[in-house]
Amino acid sequence: MGEFAQQLNRIATFAERFMENVGKVIVGRKDAIELILVALLCEGHVLIEDVPGTGKTMLAKTTARSINCNFQRIQCTPDLLPSDITGIHYFSQKTSEFEFRPGPIMANIVLADEINRATPRTQSSLLECMQEQQVTVDLETIPLPRPFLLIATQNPVELEGTFPLPEAQLDRFLMKITMGYPGEDEEDTILKRFHQENPLASLSSVIEAEELLVLQKLSRQAYVEESVRRYLLAIIRATREHKSIELGASPRASLSLDLASRVLATVRGRSYVIPDDVKYLAPPILGHRLIEKPEAKLRKHSTEAVLEEILAQIPVPVEQ
Amino acid sequence: MKTGWPRIALYITIIGMESCWLFAILSLVSGLVLQGQLSIISLLALYPIAFGINKTIAQFKLAKVYLNLISWSIWAGAMLLLVKLQIYSSLGLWDQSWLKEIPVALRQAPYDFRPEVLLFIGSIIIWWLGQRLVHLKADFPKLIVEFQFGMPVLIVTFIIGSYFTGVLEHAVLIAVAFFAFALSGLSIGHAQQTAGSISQIYRGRWLGILITGISLVIVLGLLSGSTVNPDFFERILNTAKWAWEVAKRALIWVASLLPTSPPTEIPAAGEMPGEILREPAGSGIFGMPQWIRSIIKFALFINIAFWCIFALWRASGQMLNWLNQRLAGMAGIKTESLSGAFKSDVTRLVKRILTKFLIFLLKRLGRKTRVLSPELASIQQIYCQMVRWATARGCPRHPTQTAYEYQISLVNLLPDFHEEFSLITRQFVGVRYGGLTPGKDELLNLRQSWERIRKVRRGHPS
């Protein structure tokens, strides 16, 4: 762990530079920026959900711009086809052969804007890309470039003409981030900052894609003490046994929470995970994976409230 | 059966005594497992109801099977009503979704102890006690048996409760109420008999004497409960220290009167280590490793528990002997001997508690595979001492609080010691979760910080 402790500086420096860079465009919301950084280092996909105009797309674009890599944007609409995302084989008259034209998914960072406006058929074309980081077109399997990160946004209030994401797809998102409205001072800063020009236009990258891959490997090496792991598992188990929850967190969720906790620890300059990391990450990582029972929905008992309740009940391992 | 008001009073005192130890046990379980979500008082309210209903049912001329069937059907209704009122009060009157939750909660009881389970089990016990009381003859010997049983149960519950902060908050009130019921019941029972001082010359005024006696017990109990606290003991300790200082000075003065030997050359004293350095890191008693200390602690606990039970045993025996002597001449009075069923019950209970505790300890020892170095163990000890110190000052750590969350509470308690709390918490977190070994300087800083905090007296942060 000694050598790893030395490497921690690299991750911490990158984290600091990344947060500062994104902070030039996104005012406040340091927690959301930190979460997206964790997702980036976990190579996990992010679903940003909030009402229109709160900076979802801006956050995704700023994240992509902060990394020197390919970026593509997909504007999801009901008439979007799976082949519009994955790419197609077309007949080239020059070579008299079928050639593959890659779709926008063949990029390092992909922004799927308003993902719930795409049809279930198109949404499901993303499943293989998200989990296996490859795409199969006409029996041909093509690996996606690394690092690969899908950032999807959706609007929770406007439901007309939308298709809710299926559970299988929600489970493939590492975390769900909500932006929320800025405070009065923050909004004042936004007005001043965007008065003359969009700061995104002059934003430079802070890391190369290759360097990011190295940091991704490094950040997974944080140590998880047994009692902390047991605490994490107790949270997961509690979601499966809670009276208001129909479907609890999956083993994929526990893996995600474990990985994200390790990464968050390194981002915060630690070589070991503490219960605070697990507690902090449980709502964004588990919240969107839980399905409430109908009666809980009727009682307006949200999954966030359930998670809050669970976290307020599970003892934290402190004294030995 | 003759049901004059003294007999009703005897029934009330039995219900009261049993309610006290039931309240203590249920509060302990509720506090430990359910974070005190339930109102135990409303559950106990079922006891007199159970007694009244069973007494009424017993008047019917029906077979025992039918009587039991009626009684337990009423229990089911009462239990459901309790569950509805206590847990699902927010649901509508006709919303029956909560009914489905009860079998689910019972099925999951081995994994997740929910309030429904406690209400279910608690109401069964209370209903059974109510049913049992109907067929009991409320008299002096019965009250003695109830007192004999209730007192050890209460003591054992308080001992267990003392290991968990804030679980048994009303221990003093429970104890006072138990003794008030016991004393009033015993005196009424005694007065009902033909012998005894109250039944003779003071027979006409025994109710007044009784009320005065009970009031005195309650007032003295409450007074001692509010007086005997850590401050009180600290004052006693300070007085003892002062007395010792006076005695020491007197001795020195007396010694100075004796002829002295020629002065010898005293070697120069080395540098005195600070008070905090006197105890080597994590070594504790004679530099023993942590696991040996755990075993010694356990042995001490067993020893103390044994002597407590033994003392209780002896005291009960003496009381019974005295009572036997007093009641020797009275006809129709029976007292149960300690060598009877009570003895075997207590022996079995003690054996079971010890076995469970031994299994728990062995499991814990087996699970602790990581051996801590003295430095690391020392940091953990300091942190634990700090938690105990803060708990004694009204800032306990909630089981679901992380070390950093608890740090915020500590800083709110003593804002001037922000740096110290932060240092101790940071070092502890590094040791506890990262196995990091701090340097000598850091360790020294940590101890000095803890010393600074420890010197703060309650309400005087300086």
Side-chain angles (χ1 to χ4, degrees):
Chain A
M1 210 160 72
E3 196 186 331
F4 171 57
Q6 288 172 1
Q7 300 286 352
L8 268 178
N9 275 341
R10 282 173 74 184
I11 302 169
T13 312
F14 161 64
E16 199 179 313
R17 288 177 63 196
F18 177 86
M19 290 185 72
E20 191 187 328
N21 204 49
V22 177
K24 285 176 187 168
V25 180
I26 304 294
V27 181
R29 300 319 318 271
K30 285 197 173 162
D31 51 343
I33 302 173
E34 189 179 44
L35 285 175
I36 215 157
L37 170 65
V38 169
L40 198 63
L41 286 168
C42 291
E43 212 173 5
H45 313 293
V46 180
L47 177 65
I48 309 177
E49 185 183 89
D50 220 315
V51 290
T54 47
K56 304 186 292 289
T57 311
M58 187 63 86
L59 177 63
K61 282 162 79 176
T62 316
T63 304
R65 190 64 74 84
S66 297
I67 296 148
N68 192 12
C69 57
N70 293 331
F71 169 68
Q72 289 290 342
R73 174 184 174 145
I74 307 164
Q75 187 61 51
C76 297
T77 52
D79 57 352
L80 188 77
L81 294 173
S83 57
D84 295 335
I85 293 175
T86 57
I88 52 161
H89 279 106
Y90 72 100
F91 186 74
S92 168
Q93 289 190 336
K94 273 187 194 170
T95 57
S96 297
E97 278 182 358
F98 276 94
E99 283 183 5
F100 180 67
R101 180 194 286 164
I105 200 76
M106 298 289 175
N108 293 115
I109 295 182
V110 179
L111 166 62
D113 209 9
E114 300 198 71
I115 192 169
N116 56 343
R117 290 199 177 279
T119 58
R121 186 175 164 222
T122 311
Q123 285 173 5
S124 62
S125 69
L126 290 168
L127 289 178
E128 190 187 3
C129 312
M130 290 171 79
Q131 185 62 30
E132 291 158 56
Q133 298 182 331
Q134 63 181 32
V135 63
T136 305
V137 183
D138 294 340
L139 302 176
E140 191 187 343
T141 303
I142 306 153
L144 294 174
R146 300 284 305 277
F148 174 70
L149 174 70
L150 177 79
I151 302 174
T153 68
Q154 72 172 8
N155 174 1
V157 286
E158 205 180 324
L159 297 174
E160 203 175 333
T162 61
F163 304 91
L165 292 176
E167 277 72 41
Q169 189 146 21
L170 281 173
D171 200 31
R172 281 168 169 78
F173 281 104
L174 176 74
M175 58 176 72
K176 185 171 91 173
I177 300 175
T178 50
M179 299 292 287
Y181 286 116
E184 197 174 324
D185 292 340
E186 286 171 352
E187 203 153 2
D188 185 49
T189 315
I190 293 170
L191 292 180
K192 285 177 193 161
R193 197 175 283 182
F194 285 76
H195 176 61
Q196 288 183 330
E197 62 167 9
N198 188 345
L200 186 62
S202 57
L203 202 71
S204 56
S205 63
V206 293
I207 194 167
E208 297 295 321
E210 293 76 25
E211 172 73 2
L212 184 63
L213 284 174
V214 175
L215 294 187
Q216 279 178 349
K217 276 185 188 164
L218 275 176
S219 57
R220 286 154 199 243
Q221 291 172 22
Y223 166 70
V224 186
E225 204 261 339
E226 195 193 337
S227 62
V228 179
R229 194 167 56 247
R230 292 270 164 204
Y231 175 61
L232 183 152
L233 292 174
I235 295 172
I236 298 286
R237 203 174 57 248
T239 64
R240 292 174 193 158
E241 289 167 359
H242 197 279
K243 59 184 177 183
S244 302
I245 297 293
E246 180 90 59
L247 190 68
S250 62
R252 192 186 349 235
S254 48
L255 283 170
S256 301
L257 187 54
D258 176 57
L259 174 64
S261 304
R262 287 169 198 261
V263 170
L264 182 68
T266 57
V267 162
R268 291 183 173 176
R270 262 183 284 107
S271 59
Y272 53 89
V273 176
I274 60 173
D276 300 74
D277 298 329
V278 181
K279 215 173 181 182
Y280 175 70
L281 287 170
I285 290 182
L286 303 181
H288 63 286
R289 297 171 201 256
L290 307 182
I291 298 174
E292 303 152 280
K293 282 184 182 166
E295 55 265 35
K297 276 184 190 165
L298 284 172
R299 275 184 242 154
K300 309 255 181 209
H301 201 196
S302 66
T303 52
E304 286 78 15
V306 169
L307 273 169
E308 212 171 287
E309 202 178 292
I310 287 171
L311 291 174
Q313 280 175 357
I314 296 179
V316 176
V318 174
E319 288 133 51
Q320 269 185 330
Chain B
M1 201 194 325
K2 212 173 129 186
T3 51
W5 73 264
R7 195 165 294 279
I8 292 169
L10 285 182
Y11 277 122
I12 290 170
T13 52
I14 292 175
I15 292 176
M17 270 195 280
E18 288 184 343
S19 296
C20 286
W21 58 259
L22 267 172
F23 182 81
I25 294 173
L26 291 172
S27 299
L28 184 70
V29 175
S30 170
L32 288 179
V33 190
L34 306 169
Q35 282 77 46
Q37 286 175 35
L38 287 181
S39 160
I40 304 297
I41 292 283
S42 62
L43 180 57
L44 282 177
L46 200 62
Y47 197 165
I49 296 171
F51 175 65
I53 288 174
N54 280 300
K55 186 109 181 138
T56 315
I57 292 171
Q59 310 294 324
F60 302 152
K61 303 289 176 206
L62 287 171
K64 204 176 174 184
V65 182
Y66 294 116
L67 290 179
N68 275 329
L69 197 68
I70 296 167
S71 169
W72 287 101
S73 307
I74 298 170
W75 159 79
M79 188 270 295
L80 290 176
L81 190 68
L82 268 175
V83 172
K84 173 76 179 76
L85 292 176
Q86 283 229 34
I87 305 169
Y88 298 101
S89 55
S90 58
L91 291 184
L93 191 64
W94 306 112
D95 186 349
Q96 287 154 5
S97 59
W98 59 276
L99 277 173
K100 293 174 195 161
E101 287 297 320
I102 297 170
V104 175
L106 291 174
R107 222 172 31 242
Q108 290 179 346
Y111 317 104
D112 179 18
F113 197 88
R114 285 166 52 178
E116 292 93 329
V117 181
L118 183 62
L119 282 179
F120 183 80
I121 297 171
S123 61
I124 286 182
I125 295 168
I126 289 169
W127 198 266
W128 175 77
L129 284 171
Q131 209 179 21
R132 171 182 151 273
L133 192 61
V134 173
H135 304 290
L136 276 185
K137 192 185 172 191
D139 54 9
F140 184 64
K142 185 63 217 161
L143 277 156
I144 291 284
V145 173
E146 286 290 331
F147 181 67
Q148 276 180 352
F149 182 74
M151 197 163 71
V153 170
L154 262 188
I155 290 173
V156 171
T157 313
F158 288 163
I159 288 173
I160 298 169
S162 67
Y163 283 92
F164 307 96
T165 312
V167 175
L168 273 178
E169 285 173 347
H170 308 298
V172 173
L173 274 178
I174 296 169
V176 168
F178 178 79
F179 280 100
F181 278 120
L183 289 177
S184 51
L186 287 169
S187 35
I188 296 171
H190 195 214
Q192 284 290 97
Q193 312 301 331
T194 49
S197 55
I198 294 176
S199 60
Q200 289 168 4
I201 52 172
Y202 298 111
R203 194 174 180 92
R205 279 176 277 166
W206 72 273
L207 184 62
I209 295 169
L210 184 67
I211 291 168
T212 315
I214 294 167
S215 311
L216 265 174
V217 168
I218 293 173
V219 170
L220 287 175
L222 288 174
L223 267 176
S224 60
S226 59
T227 319
V228 182
N229 52 24
D231 280 344
F232 178 75
F233 283 115
E234 206 175 329
R235 262 178 246 134
I236 291 176
L237 202 68
N238 287 338
T239 315
K241 273 183 190 169
W242 175 81
W244 169 242
E245 282 298 321
V246 171
K248 212 162 68 176
R249 277 182 202 166
L251 280 172
I252 290 167
W253 181 76
V254 171
S256 69
L257 297 176
L258 297 171
T260 51
S261 56
T264 51
E265 198 176 328
I266 300 166
E271 195 184 338
M272 286 291 285
E275 193 189 341
I276 46 168
L277 292 174
R278 247 187 280 145
E279 189 178 311
S283 53
I285 312 162
F286 311 120
M288 285 177 191
Q290 185 71 24
W291 65 274
I292 294 184
R293 297 180 65 189
S294 304
I295 291 172
I296 292 174
K297 273 184 189 172
F298 174 66
L300 270 173
F301 169 77
I302 295 291
N303 195 21
I304 291 166
F306 170 77
W307 284 113
C308 284
I309 291 167
F310 183 70
L312 194 67
W313 180 266
R314 291 289 298 165
S316 305
Q318 294 291 332
M319 272 173 68
L320 274 179
N321 281 339
W322 177 79
L323 279 169
N324 274 328
Q325 282 170 9
R326 296 274 299 162
L327 304 173
M330 294 170 81
I333 300 294
K334 285 177 191 170
T335 50
E336 191 184 353
S337 71
L338 270 177
S339 53
F342 179 63
K343 180 182 175 181
S344 61
D345 282 349
V346 171
T347 318
R348 209 177 304 144
L349 179 75
V350 171
K351 270 186 192 169
R352 201 167 286 178
I353 289 171
L354 287 177
T355 316
K356 293 270 176 196
F357 194 77
L358 201 65
I359 291 166
F360 168 75
L361 193 85
L362 287 174
K363 272 186 187 171
R364 269 189 74 92
L365 284 173
R367 218 165 48 192
K368 278 186 186 173
T369 48
R370 195 165 61 121
V371 180
L372 292 175
S373 70
E375 287 81 11
L376 304 193
S378 166
I379 291 176
Q380 294 210 352
Q381 273 177 1
I382 288 177
Y383 188 80
C384 291
Q385 281 172 15
M386 185 178 80
V387 172
R388 281 198 294 271
W389 174 89
T391 305
R393 274 153 184 80
C395 183
R397 189 186 78 80
H398 192 271
T400 62
Q401 266 185 322
T402 66
Y404 283 119
E405 286 168 348
Y406 184 52
Q407 187 196 321
I408 298 168
S409 313
L410 291 173
V411 171
N412 287 338
L413 180 72
L414 288 176
D416 295 343
F417 289 83
H418 176 270
E419 297 263 317
E420 283 82 356
F421 287 130
S422 172
L423 178 77
I424 294 172
T425 307
R426 202 172 54 244
Q427 294 283 5
F428 168 73
V429 165
V431 168
R432 173 70 178 81
Y433 305 113
L436 302 181
T437 315
K440 279 188 177 174
D441 292 344
E442 285 171 313
L443 207 56
L444 190 65
N445 269 342
L446 183 89
R447 285 179 177 155
Q448 285 169 346
S449 299
W450 166 230
E451 280 302 307
R452 280 197 291 278
I453 294 170
R454 205 168 62 164
K455 280 175 187 162
V456 178
R457 293 193 60 195
R458 193 176 295 190
H460 300 283
S462 67

